Amino acid sequence: MFYSKINSKAYWLDLRDLWPDSVVALGQIKKKSVLFKLAKFAERLIYDHSRGFILAVPDFKNYLDKNYNYSIKPKLDLINGVSKNFIKESELTDSVSKKRFTVLFSGNIGLAQKLETVID
């Protein structure tokens, strides 16, 4: 945001998570804390100065429009993960050997991602 101001260049914000709200939802900080209020101030400042948003989660549009009235700012979906169609197609393919195999997960495993889900 500061670079954008100094150089008179617009930026699009690639929004991958809704901080600090997700930290509150995970019970890591309290909504009435000073830290939360400072983080919300920074969030608004950064969001206000962006030209538009690239969203990892389609429902983030609702959050932005409801909480910040950004219905006029452009929003592009760039979804993380695998589509339902990909999963359906992979289930039709009998390419998995019954032998031992290795699974590689190259993503974030934090409180919100629930490691038990990956293990299951």
Side-chain angles (χ1 to χ4, degrees):
M1 181 187 78
F2 296 118
Y3 178 83
S4 154
K5 284 290 181 193
I6 292 168
N7 293 295
S8 299
K9 304 241 183 217
Y11 70 92
W12 283 64
L13 183 64
D14 184 8
L15 195 54
R16 301 274 141 194
D17 212 338
L18 297 176
W19 295 93
D21 295 83
S22 56
V23 181
V24 170
L26 292 169
Q28 300 300 300
I29 63 172
K30 299 207 182 302
K31 200 169 192 170
K32 294 184 178 187
S33 71
V34 173
L35 182 60
F36 178 77
K37 291 175 184 175
L38 284 171
K40 288 301 277 186
F41 174 78
E43 177 187 55
R44 177 173 281 286
L45 198 61
I46 293 166
Y47 289 4
D48 281 350
H49 289 90
S50 71
R51 182 173 188 181
F53 300 95
I54 300 168
L55 307 174
V57 178
D59 199 43
F60 286 0
K61 287 178 190 174
N62 296 333
Y63 174 83
L64 293 169
D65 293 347
K66 178 182 170 194
N67 294 293
Y68 294 103
N69 196 24
Y70 290 149
S71 56
I72 59 170
K73 285 196 178 197
K75 297 168 199 77
L76 302 172
D77 292 330
L78 184 60
I79 311 298
N80 282 339
V82 177
S83 70
K84 289 179 184 178
N85 188 48
F86 179 88
I87 293 171
K88 186 170 58 170
E89 290 291 325
S90 69
E91 289 172 345
L92 298 173
T93 306
D94 188 26
S95 63
V96 178
S97 170
K98 301 299 179 204
K99 297 177 187 176
R100 185 176 172 189
F101 65 94
T102 301
V103 174
L104 171 67
F105 175 76
S106 60
N108 182 30
I109 301 177
L111 292 172
Q113 289 74 32
K114 299 191 184 237
L115 179 58
E116 345 33 281
T117 303
V118 176
I119 294 170
D120 287 346

